[in-house]
Amino acid sequence: MPARPSVTEAELEAHLRGICFKTGPPRYIGVEIEWLVHDARNPRCPVAPERHHDAAAALRALPLRSALTFEPGGQLELSSLPATSLTACIEAVSADLALVRPAMRELGLGMAGHGHNPWHPPHRVLTQPRYDAMEAYFDRWGSAGRSMMCNTASVQVCVDAGQEEPGPLGLGRRWRMAHLLGAVLVAAFANSPVSEGCPTGYRTTRQVVWSQMDPARTLAPSDGPDPRAAWTGYVLDAPVMCVRSDEGRWDAPEGLTFRDWVRTGSPRPPTEEDLDYHVTTLFPPVRPRGHLELRMIDAQPGDGGWIVPLAVTAALFDDPEAAESAYRVVKPLAETAGSRPAPRNPLWRHATRGALTDPELRAAALACFTIAQEALPRLGASDEVAGAVAEFAERYVARGRCPADDLLDTAYADEPAPAPPAKPPWPVATAPPPPEPVLAYDDELIPGKDSQ
């Protein structure tokens, strides 16, 4: 475990400022894609842990360029290497998927693109100390943490942090745009309206899950002119989820922030490596890791569904003309968002419940997709990629729909879909947490369902 000596609070602040926003002209693009793993013949049949482990062994023997990982519930994730162009990123990940999918089929397993598992309750198949500690920590807020760990999947797009100088590619502009455009991406690509076979009343149940957990590590940092200062304070003031150890559980004293840990040196003096690990336990909608991780997009249906959110996001962030135009479109959304952080503010709530049925979000999405379509040729995107974006825009955005609506249409082809719950399940927990969960996630999202 960590061997370096402990460091001072000032040194850790400098470390965070140095590694979390690496500035310069945008050059790289990346994507992290998650899938729910299911039985190929019957998705509603739970997959035994042994089959997950067999799949992991088989896939790790493949010559993949992307990093391969498995999430606590057995979700499969591919994380691309930083690519110097959108085309290179798509080609590299597509080549890896051409190896992964046949290997999974040989094992009788399928890969489903849903933001939240529509079939099963959460069931953890990984038992590492990190996940034991994470589950125990999030259980203080109710069952949403287990759903996040085991039942959610996403498309995470990674863009460079941007330039130090102001302007459409500047760090401050990109940071702010990510949090406003994020709501538009949530709405356009919402794809998780069902949990355990029941509609939840939300186009993206995955976003509801994220909003119900520890606010000190899942909400966006406070808005302000200096993203580095906001992020540094956010990281140091977030509670410590776990203290790593060579033996035993990785528990942490309840309510201990990282800043407290540095100042007290207890239960042992922290190190720079502890801080880096602490950052991996923070899950805001946009997470700076040198680059910016946009973490709000639901996993998408279809073999190539992940390409459209990647292409749209890359176009709006990395083409200077598109970045300027997109910022002008999303800037007025700040009035609806108000002062509360994402994903709990009104803008993100509207995206979560109604997606593009919300007139303001639909108008913004229409404008942003048009801007992205105009920019894609300038980024060297292929006709196939541009065509996929145009088809998505026509099928969904122009009609005020999202992929979640297809699932709801299929499930309720012969009867109207049930009305959403009367009481939104937005959390009221604040740190330190109350002794009992404030919200019962299953009760709030699935009216009439017995509490688990």
Side-chain angles (χ1 to χ4, degrees), residues 109-191:
L109 297 173
M111 298 158 53
H114 296 284
H116 188 276
N117 193 316
W119 310 295
H120 312 130
H123 176 70
R124 187 156 62 95
V125 300
L126 300 184
T127 57
Q128 288 92 331
R130 171 185 173 92
Y131 299 125
D132 291 343
M134 184 179 292
E135 182 177 270
Y137 181 92
F138 281 128
D139 278 351
R140 301 170 190 169
W141 277 265
S143 61
R146 296 191 181 206
S147 289
M148 177 277 289
M149 293 171 63
C150 302
N151 274 17
T152 62
S154 68
V155 176
Q156 298 180 18
V157 181
C158 301
V159 298
D160 278 338
Q163 301 172 334
E164 289 288 349
E165 298 80 10
L169 301 182
L171 164 62
R173 172 78 66 84
R174 288 163 77 85
W175 178 250
R176 182 162 178 76
M177 187 169 87
H179 289 88
L180 294 173
L181 178 64
V184 179
L185 298 176
V186 167
F189 298 108
N191 186 38

Side-chain angles (χ1 to χ4, degrees), residues 116 122 141-144 147 195-196 198-202 205 208-209 212 419-426 437-452:
H116 188 276
W141 277 265
S143 61
S147 289
S195 175
E196 298 184 48
C198 298
T200 64
Y202 295 83
T205 303
V208 178
V209 169
Q212 287 187 324
K423 179 183 177 184
W426 301 106
V438 173
L439 291 175
Y441 168 70
D442 295 317
D443 290 345
E444 292 289 340
L445 279 184
I446 306 173
K449 188 178 187 303
D450 292 337
S451 179
Q452 298 183 2

Side-chain angles (χ1 to χ4, degrees), residues 19 101 147 183 192 228 242 283 356 359-360 391 410:
I19 67 168
R101 290 188 185 279
S147 289
S192 51
R228 287 189 178 90
C242 58
F283 308 107
L356 295 186
E360 185 178 37
E391 181 182 354
T410 301

